Amino acid sequence: MTLYTSRPVVLCLSGHDPSGGAGLQADIEALLAQGCHAAPVVTALTVQDTRNVSDFRVLDRPWVLAQAQAVFADLPVAAIKLGMLGSLEMVATVVELIQAHPSLPVVCDPVLRAGGGGALGKDEVGYAMREQLLPLARIATPNLPEARILAELPDGSADACAQKLLPHCPYLLITGGHGDEHQVHNRLYGRDGLRQTFTCERLPGSYHGSGCTLASALAGRLAQGEELVSAVQTALSYTWRTLRDAEQLGQGQFVPRRLPLDFCS
Ligand code: PLP
């Protein structure tokens, strides 16, 4: 038997998307592409296709605790990635899990909406994430609409949202993919005064799972020991390439291509 000790393990606490575009499948694929191993802990089940979400169900707290504890007891977790949590109880559950492992870097993707606009949690779940989870995270990766909800600034600029949110977490990456400018501006803010904008060409499509891809790739880079700013840059470039190569597998949004097609050859 071969024992692989070189692939960092990233524990993902995210929802399941049966279309395979977003959620845990996106996490697994993006982490594989970073040379990491994903340990996917299911927080919620969703009913959705590549167009939108029609329903979701958040798992019971004991089930999520049991899944995560099984992973922690067995595998050397190097980082934690948070995606859809869906309820206040799930936020509290995840807080408890993270507090038991305070040295691990946590990437928090504060998921509240699907790419098609359907809700994956009420705004109050976002406020609980802001108050309870962001202080435990190394970095949060909201897109601008999510940052506006978290900051309670419905028309706020990225800078205004960051000013409101930075007291809660050390680093914040506010992505600009939901805008309509010619170029996408992804803005990284640090409580230490760091301000860096990563600009890329806007791609023409609408994508399912781009936020999950970015947050997981970033967690993977951090698990690999990459320094934060460099990890953000690497994860953004990787995500852009997955969108450039995305496919319209269903009738709605394009699905990012996170792994090479010849992966098995
Ligand atoms: N997590 C789950 C389980 C989802 O179903 C979705 C979207 O459908 C998301 C997260 C967020 O997707 P995106 O990365 O497109 O923001």
Side-chain angles (χ1 to χ4, degrees):
M1 186 174 76
T2 310
L3 278 179
Y4 295 100
T5 53
S6 57
R7 271 204 302 155
V9 176
V10 177
L11 177 88
C12 303
L13 288 144
S14 310
H16 175 60
D17 164 11
S19 80
L24 284 168
Q25 181 164 329
D27 297 350
I28 294 165
E29 293 176 1
L31 282 162
L32 273 175
Q34 311 311 314
C36 292
H37 174 77
V41 170
V42 186
T43 55
L45 301 175
T46 69
V47 179
Q48 65 181 306
D49 56 22
T50 57
R51 287 171 293 213
N52 216 340
V53 180
S54 57
D55 206 354
F56 69 86
R57 177 170 294 193
V58 181
L59 259 67
D60 292 344
R61 165 191 163 82
W63 271 90
V64 176
L65 284 177
Q67 291 178 77
Q69 281 158 2
V71 173
F72 278 121
D74 187 34
L75 300 168
V77 175
I80 300 176
K81 184 262 167 179
L82 307 180
M84 176 188 177
L85 301 183
S87 73
L88 293 175
E89 188 190 45
M90 193 50 58
V91 173
T93 304
V94 169
V95 165
E96 193 179 315
L97 281 168
I98 293 175
Q99 279 173 338
H101 302 276
S103 60
L104 294 178
V106 176
V107 176
C108 177
D109 181 17
V111 174
L112 293 172
R113 305 274 184 278
L120 291 168
K122 295 187 179 140
D123 289 359
E124 63 188 33
V125 175
Y127 306 148
M129 284 186 190
R130 178 188 67 201
E131 299 299 318
Q132 299 167 41
L133 270 179
L134 263 50
L136 303 175
R138 181 92 188 278
I139 182 165
T141 61
N143 55 42
L144 184 56
E146 287 164 343
R148 285 174 170 155
I149 294 171
L150 295 182
E152 298 183 71
L153 295 172
D155 301 311
S157 64
D159 286 357
C161 294
Q163 206 182 348
K164 206 84 197 271
L165 295 176
L166 271 181
H168 297 277
C169 72
Y171 293 99
L172 196 61
L173 175 63
I174 302 185
T175 58
H178 289 70
D180 53 10
E181 309 99 326
H182 183 56
Q183 288 186 312
V184 175
H185 301 283
N186 300 304
R187 296 183 166 89
L188 177 63
Y189 302 88
R191 205 187 284 152
D192 55 5
L194 171 74
R195 298 284 180 277
Q196 198 161 333
T197 301
F198 302 89
T199 303
C200 60
E201 178 198 335
R202 181 175 296 284
L203 293 161
S206 160
Y207 305 97
H208 193 68
S210 54
C212 309
T213 305
L214 172 65
S216 294
L218 178 51
R221 299 320 309 169
L222 294 177
Q224 290 282 14
E226 199 167 333
E227 179 270 323
L228 187 113
V229 176
S230 166
V232 165
Q233 168 90 74
T234 310
L236 282 169
S237 310
Y238 165 74
T239 303
W240 187 86
R241 292 195 303 277
T242 71
L243 303 185
R244 178 198 62 195
D245 300 342
E247 298 147 290
Q248 192 173 26
L249 298 174
Q251 293 170 41
Q253 299 177 309
F254 284 57
V255 173
R257 190 185 289 172
R258 288 171 282 251
L259 292 169
L261 281 183
D262 58 356
F263 200 58
C264 289
S265 62

